């Protein structure tokens, strides 16, 4: 890469150095910028040709430079002769003005190092094109090296040279005397121009009809630049030292031969022995070998033989050559007409431009672009000719690349896009552009489309001509895919809608609807639903064609995969609009059927979609209901768990020992540390609030009473009343033998809520015994269904009930924690002992026997008949309840055990099972006994 850059740098430096050394100090550089070396021309290809620009106008020119260094090898007088010859030729060319002669833009300027003058832009000399590359830049430019002449270029070029000679011979009365490929220049457009008048020979009597010319004798001692090219000279120049216009025609014949033979002349001339060479040439011309004309087209071979004739009078003149059939080519004549176009009036031009589209396809692209296109675009300045020229320009644009179109055609089309006067020509221009809109949008850059092409389309939609509006609406769908979406949405669609609503032409309105229907696929769904469908309801006319157009847009929108219509739109806007239209009196049967078909499709879709939605909604509701039930069950279970754990939480928070009345942690010598506050989430706070509400509801509920259970009637069995009476009497006697001084107070002295007195004996007088319940525990006082017995009955006396009826535990969940860990008041047994056999109380009989009071039969009968005893009897009548100690085993369900009080150990009250019958059975026996 670096080597390539260095090579490019050296080339640019070399070219710059050549230009600088060649033109430095020449006055031409004051007005013109000299560019790169592009070609060479003139006698001996001595002139270097550069491209350039005029500084003031930026007009493109060609700069001819003759570097005096190439003649340093000659003597001074030879140098002067060469310079004088070159000056003479340029000065003569400057004075002559003709389309077939090279046009001089700036006269010759001389400096110490060079000669220079400026001409119209050129491509190269004919000698360069034919393969003579002397004095060309290195490497040879590819456009010159690869340039091939087309037949039409060759024909028309030779015709141009013939016309130039005709001008010189007939009008100027001058002989060129050195007509060679070196002195024929191809300009930028491809036209052939004559230059190199270094050896021109004007007539001595130009005013007379028969001109006379003086010919100089050949001087072989002169430098080559001071002599014409002998290979193109007529034989009479050397052999008879005479010349006339026919001498130039001989040179034209040699040029024709060279053009068709890659620059090769008919004869080669030995410049050192020129007379001998021309004598030999004269003999060969008299007997011309047919091989010499092998590459020459047949239609010009005969004329070429005439041009090469040794007799000057036989040669055709220049005017005759312009009329030979060889030049009657359609392409050559077309190019010739373009060259004379400025001489034609508008009518002739219009007729020529109308037939030009038939000729253009037959011409090579290079000829069309270089020769015809510039002539066509130059006619854009004439507004009346634009409608005739524009189709040909667009036809050429189709064959051009995008780069060529942007560079050569688009700059000239800009004013035409904006042309509005005259109105008739403007309307024709709009029609032409609309027909070629796909070409314009394909090759025109986006910025130019937005600034030039689309405004022209908008102007066509707003044009007063119905024909233009119809054409515009018909062709818009063909190039809608090339229009950017913002321009279509914000500019094109609104103008189509306005044209539909404001026009009085039914054709324009229908075409507007058809156009909108065709471009729906390039629009987005919501724009169609929000803008186009409401617009359809604004159309005032009710012609069948309009109604069918409206139906077509609805149907396209409804059935298109990309668009579609929502069921809300169908139910709210589309169907309410279509159904009234369907019964319009202007519709025929087929049109009505079309309406009903679309309406039915819409109704079916509406029904299917909404039904599907309702079914899904129903399924979701059912799932939600089942989910709610599940959640409610789970919530109820959680609330129940929380309700059951609430007492545990209360007692654990209270943390006091029932016996000592001190907090657990303080009793152990530890002080609880305050817990750090934890930030709760909203869901946790709501959950806590619900728990508090549930606790409040529990507190506000009435106490739970046990359901009364009707005891099953005891099956009376035949008993031995004598034996039963004897056993009962024995039991009563054993009870009456106790000491009158009891260790326990009577039951009436016990608190009404529990039935036990706090101080039990002297040993526990100093102990602060609590009942284990407080007002905040959440238990109702009615939860313990207790009664009082006889005031005279001791707490542990005999079989009498102790003031505690059968207790039904409070209805609490199964997961209520056991509070056995807490200290319990005396008299409470664990729940686990509820169903155990009745403890043996015989040791108590021995212990308290002397203090037992005497009880008479009447007192015993009253006790047996008291409601307190009946209330405490077992419902089944099968379980023995002998004492409060044994019965309070049922209290274990309330959560109070006796493990912590050794005084009330179950072992202290153990007795054999089934030693006493139930009070109910005994009462029945007494009733049977005593009536």
């Amino acid at each position: 890469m670096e080597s390539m850059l260095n090579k490019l740098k050296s080339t640019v430096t070399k070219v710059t150095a050549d230009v600088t050394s060649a033109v430095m100090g020449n006055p031409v550089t004051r007005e013109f910028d000299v560019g790169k070396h592009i070609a060479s021309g003139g006698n001996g290809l001595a002139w270097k040709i550069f491209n350039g620009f005029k500084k003031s106008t930026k007009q493109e020119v060609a700069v001819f430079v003759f570097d005096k260094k190439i003649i340093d090898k000659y003597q001074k007088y030879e140098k002067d002769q060469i310079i004088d010859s070159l000056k003479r030729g340029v000065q003569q060319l400057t004075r002559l003005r003709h389309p077939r002669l090279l046009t001089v833009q700036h006269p010759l300027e001389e400096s110490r190092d060079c000669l220079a003058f400026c001409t119209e832009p050129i491509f190269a000399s004919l000698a360069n094109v034919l393969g003579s590359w002397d004095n060309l830049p290195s490497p040879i430019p590819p456009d010159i090296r690869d340039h091939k002449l087309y037949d039409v270029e060759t024909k028309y070029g030779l015709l141009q040279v013939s016309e130039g000679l005709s001008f010189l011979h007939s009008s100027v009365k001058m002989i060129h005397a050195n007509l060679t490929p070196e002195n024929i220049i191809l300009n930028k457009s491809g036209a052939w121009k004559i230059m190199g008048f270094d050896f021109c020979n004007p007539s001595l009597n130009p005013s007379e009809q028969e001109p006379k010319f003086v010919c100089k004798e050949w001087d072989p001692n002169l430098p080559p630049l001071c002599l014409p090219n002998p290979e193109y000279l007529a034989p009479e120049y050397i052999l008879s030292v005479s010349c006339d216009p026919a001498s130039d025609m001989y040179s034209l014949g040699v040029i024709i031969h060279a053009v068709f033979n890659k620059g090769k002349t008919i004869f080669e001339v030995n410049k050192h022995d020129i007379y001998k060479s021309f004598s030999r040439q004269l003999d060969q011309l008299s007997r011309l070998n047919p091989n010499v004309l092998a590459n020459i087209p047949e239609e010009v071979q005969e004329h070429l033989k005439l041009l090469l004739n040794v007799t000057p009078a036989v040669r055709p003149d220049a005017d005759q050559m312009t009329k030979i059939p060889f030049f009657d080519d359609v392409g050559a004549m077309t190019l010739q007409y373009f060259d004379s176009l400025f001489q034609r009036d508008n009518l002739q031009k219009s007729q020529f431009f109308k037939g030009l589209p038939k000729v253009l396809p037959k011409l090579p692209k290079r000829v069309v672009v270089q020769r015809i296109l510039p002539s066509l675009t130059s006619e854009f300045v004439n507004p009346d000719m634009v409608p005739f020229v524009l189709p040909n320009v667009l036809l050429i644009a189709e064959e051009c690349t995008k780069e060529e179109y942007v560079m050569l055609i688009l700059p000239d089309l800009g004013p035409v896009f904006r042309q509005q006067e005259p109105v008739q020509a403007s309307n024709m221009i709009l029609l032409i552009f609309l027909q070629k809109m796909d070409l314009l949008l394909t090759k025109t850059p986006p910025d130019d489309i937005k600034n030039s092409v689309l405004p022209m389309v908008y102007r066509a939609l707003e044009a007063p001509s119905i024909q233009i509006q119809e054409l515009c609406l018909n062709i818009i769908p063909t190039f809608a895919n090339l229009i950017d979406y913002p321009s279509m949405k914000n500019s094109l669609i609104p103008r189509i809608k306005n044209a539909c609503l404001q026009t009085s032409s039914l054709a324009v309105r229908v075409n507007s609807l058809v156009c909108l229907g065709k471009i729906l696929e390039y629009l987005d769904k919501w724009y169609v639903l929000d803008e186009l469908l409401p617009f359809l309801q604004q159309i005032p006319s009710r012609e069948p064609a309009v109604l069918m157009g409206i139906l077509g847009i609805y149907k396209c929108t409804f059935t298109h995969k990309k668009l579609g219509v929502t069921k809300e739109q169908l139910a709210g806007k589309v169907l309410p609009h279509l159904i009234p239209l369907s019964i319009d009196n202007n519709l025929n049967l087929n049109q009505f059927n079309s309406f009903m078909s679309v309406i039915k499709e819409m109704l079916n879709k509406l029904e299917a979609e909404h039904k599907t939605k309702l079914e899904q909604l129903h399924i979701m509701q059912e799932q939600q209901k089942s989910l709610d039930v599940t959640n409610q069950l789970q919530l109820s279970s959680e609330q129940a768990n929380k309700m059951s754990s609430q007492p545990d939480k209360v007692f654990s928070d209270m943390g006091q020992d029932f016996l000592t009345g001190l907090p657990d942690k303080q009793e152990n010598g530890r002080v609880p540390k305050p817990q750090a506050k934890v930030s709760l989430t909203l869901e946790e706070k709501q959950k806590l609030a619900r728990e508090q509400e549930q606790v409040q509801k529990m507190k506000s509920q009435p106490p739970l009473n046990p359901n009364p259970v009707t005891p099953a009637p005891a099956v009376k069995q035949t008993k031995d009343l004598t034996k039963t009476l004897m056993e009962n009497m024995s039991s009563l006697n054993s009870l009456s033998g106790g000491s009158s001084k009891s260790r326990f107070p009577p039951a009436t002295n016990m608190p009404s809520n529990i039935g036990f007195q706090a101080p039990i004996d002297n040993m526990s007088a100093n102990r602060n015994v609590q009942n284990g319940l407080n007002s905040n525990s959440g238990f109702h006082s009615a939860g313990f269904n207790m009664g009082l017995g006889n005031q005279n009955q001791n707490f542990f006396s005999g079989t009498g009930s102790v003031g505690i009826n059968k207790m039904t535990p409070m209805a609490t969940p199964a997961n209520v924690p056991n509070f056995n860990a807490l200290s319990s008041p005396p008299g409470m047994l664990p729940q686990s002992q509820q169903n155990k056999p009745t403890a043996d109380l015989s040791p108590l009989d021995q212990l308290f026997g002397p203090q037992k009071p005497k009880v008479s039969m009447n007192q015993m009968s009253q006790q047996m008949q008291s409601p307190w005893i009946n209330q405490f009897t077992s419902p089944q009548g099968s379980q023995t309840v002998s004492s409060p100690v044994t019965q309070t085993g049922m209290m274990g369900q309330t959560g109070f055990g006796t493990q912590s009080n050794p005084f009330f150990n179950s072992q202290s009250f153990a007795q054999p099972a089934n030693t006493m019958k139930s009070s109910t059975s005994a009462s029945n026996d007494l009733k049977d006994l005593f009536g």
Side-chain angles (χ1 to χ4, degrees), residues 99-114:
R100 304 299 178 239
L101 304 182
L102 187 64
T103 302
V104 178
Q105 300 287 353
H106 189 82
L108 182 67
E109 298 285 355
E110 183 178 8
S111 65
R112 184 183 64 179
D113 297 325
C114 68

Side-chain angles (χ1 to χ4, degrees), residues 349-644:
K349 291 179 181 179
S350 63
Q351 295 296 329
F352 171 73
F353 291 142
K354 286 181 181 179
L356 187 60
K358 300 178 181 179
V359 179
L360 290 178
K362 300 178 182 180
L363 299 176
K365 177 182 175 182
R366 186 176 68 201
V367 176
V368 172
V369 173
Q370 291 183 354
R371 298 298 309 278
I372 297 179
L373 183 60
S375 300
L376 290 175
T377 55
S378 64
E379 291 294 326
F380 283 155
V381 297
N382 186 356
D384 295 329
M385 287 292 101
V386 174
F388 302 98
V389 176
L390 186 58
N392 298 291
V393 174
L394 296 179
L395 185 61
I396 296 173
E398 291 179 355
E399 302 298 329
C400 294
T401 62
K402 187 174 182 178
E403 292 75 15
E404 292 173 341
Y405 168 82
V406 173
M407 182 175 62
L408 301 175
I409 300 177
L410 185 59
D412 295 314
L413 290 179
V416 182
F417 287 135
R418 297 184 291 270
Q419 181 175 335
Q420 300 184 19
E421 296 294 339
V423 177
Q424 185 176 2
S426 177
N427 292 337
M428 294 181 65
I429 292 171
L430 287 176
L431 292 174
I432 295 170
F433 275 132
L434 291 175
Q435 293 171 351
K436 296 291 184 180
M437 188 58 61
D438 54 344
L439 167 68
L440 297 177
L441 296 178
T442 302
K443 295 188 176 181
T444 306
D447 293 338
D448 293 304
I449 290 176
K450 186 175 181 180
N451 299 328
S452 300
V453 179
L454 291 182
M456 181 194 63
V457 177
Y458 306 152
R459 193 169 69 250
L461 288 173
E462 298 170 350
S465 174
I466 295 177
Q467 180 184 3
I468 294 177
Q469 287 184 334
E470 289 184 27
L471 179 61
C472 185
L473 292 170
N474 288 332
I475 67 172
I476 283 176
T478 61
F479 61 84
N481 59 324
L482 303 176
I483 302 176
D484 61 297
Y485 184 73
S487 298
M488 180 179 292
K489 181 176 70 173
N490 300 324
S491 300
L492 183 62
I493 300 296
R495 285 177 169 83
I496 297 177
K497 292 164 60 177
N498 291 335
C500 182
L501 295 176
Q502 298 176 3
T503 185
S504 59
S505 172
L506 177 62
V508 172
R509 182 165 292 151
V510 174
N511 286 326
S512 299
L513 295 175
V514 173
C515 178
L516 290 175
K518 290 181 178 179
I519 64 177
L520 283 177
E521 58 181 326
Y522 305 112
L523 303 176
D524 63 77
K525 175 179 180 179
W526 300 114
Y527 180 80
V528 174
L529 296 180
D530 297 340
E531 298 294 335
L532 288 189
L533 298 189
F535 151 75
L536 298 179
Q537 303 178 10
Q538 303 173 9
I539 299 175
S541 61
R542 288 295 180 266
E543 291 82 2
V546 176
L547 296 181
M548 296 306 295
I550 295 174
L551 178 65
I553 293 179
Y554 276 127
K555 185 175 181 180
C556 291
T557 306
F558 176 71
T559 58
H560 198 278
K561 295 181 180 179
K562 173 185 174 184
L563 302 177
V565 184
T566 62
K567 61 185 181 65
E568 291 79 12
Q569 290 276 349
L570 288 176
K573 296 182 179 180
V574 178
L575 289 174
H577 183 218
L578 277 181
I579 293 176
L581 295 182
S582 65
I583 60 174
D584 192 276
N585 295 329
N586 295 324
L587 297 177
N588 58 29
L589 180 60
N590 292 332
Q591 294 169 346
F592 172 75
N593 290 334
S594 299
F595 265 89
M596 295 310 299
S597 175
V598 175
I599 291 173
K600 288 178 181 179
E601 290 181 7
M602 292 181 176
L603 287 174
N604 292 335
K605 180 181 179 182
L606 178 64
E607 178 185 2
E609 289 186 359
H610 197 64
K611 185 176 181 180
T612 303
K613 176 183 176 182
L614 293 179
E615 290 175 353
Q616 295 176 353
L617 184 61
H618 177 71
I619 294 174
M620 292 175 61
Q621 290 175 351
E622 293 297 328
Q623 293 177 351
Q624 185 66 30
K625 287 181 181 179
S626 63
L627 184 62
D628 292 342
V629 171
T630 304
N631 293 337
Q632 187 174 4
L633 293 175
Q634 293 178 355
L635 182 60
S636 300
S637 176
E638 292 178 359
Q639 290 178 353
N641 293 336
K642 291 174 183 176
M643 289 166 54
S644 62

Side-chain angles (χ1 to χ4, degrees), residues 39-47 49 64 102 122 124-134 176 178-186 193-199 224-225 227-232 255 258 263 265 271:
S40 61
N43 190 23
L45 297 176
W47 292 89
I49 305 174
F64 284 72
L102 187 64
I122 72 162
S125 65
L126 181 59
N128 294 149
V129 173
L130 295 177
S132 298
W133 298 338
D134 295 342
H176 189 279
N178 192 25
L179 188 63
T180 64
E182 300 167 350
N183 290 322
I184 297 176
I185 302 297
L186 278 64
K193 301 294 187 76
I194 299 175
M195 67 163 293
F197 291 89
D198 302 355
F199 310 104
L225 293 177
L227 295 171
N229 190 345
E231 294 180 350
Y232 291 89
I255 291 174
T265 59
K271 298 180 181 179

